[in-house]
Amino acid sequence: MDTRFLLLWFEAPLQSWGADSKFGRRDSLPFPTKSGVLGLICAALGATGEQRELLAEMAPFRQTVISFFRNKKNDEKEIADRQTLLQDFHMVGSGYDNSDPWQSLLIPKTSEGKNAVGGGTKMTYRYYLQDSKFAVVVEVPKEKVELIIQALQNPIYDIYLGRKNCVPTDFIYRGIFNSEEEAIVVATEIATEKELTENFRVIPEEADGESFIINDVPIQFGQIKQYRDRRVTVIPHG
């Protein structure tokens, strides 16, 4: 299949990219996941529901991520501001009137629809990457290039970086290229203009570096989500 390489730029005060999160603890990987990136593209396209056909078409294609950081200066030395993880504490379901039929919908219930043990209020912990910057190179079918570009520039639904409160602070779409190498050259130029330094790369295969398996290839979105595994390697810069 004839493909092209889409360059995306992810920059925001907060980002969150979960691959194995539970209700009470929403972790974040230190880089954008494939499910998160394809979810962003689906939102821009206005593609709702399961989207099994689109996801099956996109699943085999490459996604490479480059993480950048800024060197902050103080009076005496430079401080490498690589990545900081924020823990956000939430109480879910508290303060609602269970006798009100609308407010009752916001209180966590058991699978039988009854009030949960302990009154329904649940504690959750959510994690975010602070002030992170990523270049994401996504391989896409040639026939869908123009459709995706138009959607990213004029999204039908709001697009965000992992979670709905992670609003991007810079333009996401940064060009379409014939090769991954060409896209990475432009990503490096953007980083240079912003006075950023490469931190690490995430490539979709086994190589020299930290190689592991993550469950982030979406098979089905919608109410019942399904994913499969893929192998990635994190390669530190320098």
Side-chain angles (χ1 to χ4, degrees):
M1 180 182 290
D2 194 7
T3 61
R4 296 293 183 269
F5 291 85
L6 186 71
L7 176 60
L8 309 178
W9 185 264
F10 291 172
E11 182 173 341
L14 297 176
Q15 300 185 42
S16 187
W17 305 101
D20 189 27
S21 296
K22 307 301 181 184
F23 176 80
R25 183 183 176 91
R26 305 292 179 88
D27 291 319
S28 175
L29 289 173
F31 54 85
T33 59
K34 188 157 189 172
S35 56
V37 173
L38 291 182
L40 181 149
I41 291 173
C42 283
L45 290 168
T48 60
E50 295 181 354
Q51 293 298 320
R52 293 183 65 92
E53 183 176 341
L54 175 61
L55 295 175
E57 183 178 7
M58 297 291 290
F61 296 141
R62 292 179 61 84
Q63 176 176 300
T64 296
V65 176
I66 307 176
S67 171
F68 297 97
F69 69 94
R70 189 187 310 279
N71 283 327
K72 291 185 176 180
K73 296 183 178 181
N74 61 15
D75 293 336
E76 298 180 355
K77 61 181 180 180
E78 287 191 347
I79 302 173
D81 184 26
R82 292 178 181 266
Q83 266 191 351
T84 305
L85 193 65
L86 171 70
Q87 182 192 66
D88 192 16
F89 172 77
H90 281 248
M91 294 291 289
V92 179
S94 61
Y96 297 109
D97 183 358
N98 196 37
S99 63
D100 184 300
W102 291 107
Q103 293 190 47
S104 178
L105 295 174
L106 302 173
I107 301 175
K109 304 289 195 305
T110 66
S111 59
E112 292 81 19
K114 300 177 182 179
N115 288 340
V117 176
T121 300
K122 300 298 177 184
M123 294 183 294
T124 69
Y125 298 86
R126 307 182 189 194
Y127 293 84
Y128 299 90
L129 304 176
Q130 295 188 87
D131 196 29
S132 291
K133 295 102 177 158
F134 300 101
V136 182
V137 181
V138 185
E139 187 179 13
V140 297
K142 181 181 178 181
E143 62 270 17
K144 283 189 167 54
V145 165
E146 290 302 322
L147 181 65
I148 293 175
I149 290 173
Q150 290 297 321
L152 291 172
Q153 293 176 324
N154 300 280
I156 294 177
Y157 297 124
D158 292 340
I159 53 180
Y160 44 85
L161 305 183
R163 295 180 65 85
K164 291 184 179 180
N165 61 333
C166 300
V167 180
T169 55
D170 204 342
F171 294 110
I172 287 180
Y173 171 67
R174 294 306 184 101
I176 196 76
F177 304 90
N178 292 322
S179 70
E180 185 177 88
E181 291 74 18
E182 292 175 4
I184 290 175
V185 168
V186 174
T188 304
E189 291 173 352
I190 295 171
T192 300
E193 291 174 1
K194 291 175 172 284
E195 299 182 336
L196 303 175
T197 303
E198 183 175 333
N199 189 7
F200 60 83
R201 295 190 185 192
V202 184
I203 61 173
E205 61 254 344
E206 189 167 1
D208 292 336
E210 183 184 0
S211 183
F212 54 94
I213 293 174
I214 55 176
N215 185 242
D216 78 333
V217 180
I219 299 172
Q220 175 178 301
F221 284 149
Q223 291 187 342
I224 302 176
K225 299 176 175 60
Q226 298 178 9
Y227 305 92
R228 67 172 175 82
D229 295 342
R230 69 178 176 123
R231 181 174 291 278
V232 300
T233 301
V234 177
I235 304 174
H237 183 66

